[in-house]
Amino acid sequence: MRLCSLSKKSPSSNGSTSLPIGGIDAAVSGEVSWRHAFGALTPISTSSFTGGSPFDIAGVLIARDAAVTEVGLDFHVAPNATLGISYNGSTPQMELSRAYSVRLT
């Protein structure tokens, strides 16, 4: 199996703080980082079926460099309940990736 290898996000800066919002305890967190890919930018996997010839499957081209942003906001709505919202995005030149999530724990 041949795969491209990605470095960890580096360098990065992150932080978090707690604050009351409308009488509810909340926690805000965030991170800004840079992701760099080493080696081949197209992930390739070699596979085969039982008794068959091997074949390659190529994935989507990965950006060499990308800025990554993560932001989250957690509301402590009850002693055993937290409502959280978050955003995660990367902005390389060739692609744009965004994810939003809402969770209740």
Side-chain angles (χ1 to χ4, degrees):
M1 182 186 308
R2 295 173 291 167
L3 296 174
C4 67
S5 58
L6 295 177
S7 72
K8 286 189 141 190
K9 298 178 279 187
S10 179
S12 68
S13 178
N14 61 33
S16 64
T17 188
S18 297
L19 57 117
I21 298 177
I24 298 174
D25 289 332
V28 179
S29 62
E31 179 178 355
V32 177
S33 57
W34 192 258
R35 184 179 61 214
H36 179 75
F38 295 96
L41 297 179
T42 303
I44 299 173
S45 175
T46 302
S47 301
S48 65
F49 295 106
T50 304
S53 300
F55 56 93
D56 289 340
I57 300 172
V60 178
L61 182 66
I62 298 170
R64 173 122 5 236
D65 293 296
V68 179
T69 305
E70 298 177 23
V71 179
L73 181 60
D74 290 334
F75 296 98
H76 306 290
V77 293
N80 294 328
T82 301
L83 175 64
I85 56 173
S86 64
Y87 165 82
N88 181 309
S90 63
T91 56
Q93 213 172 18
M94 60 183 24
E95 66 185 58
L96 181 62
S97 173
R98 293 183 179 157
Y100 301 91
S101 66
V102 177
R103 66 194 174 287
L104 180 62
T105 56

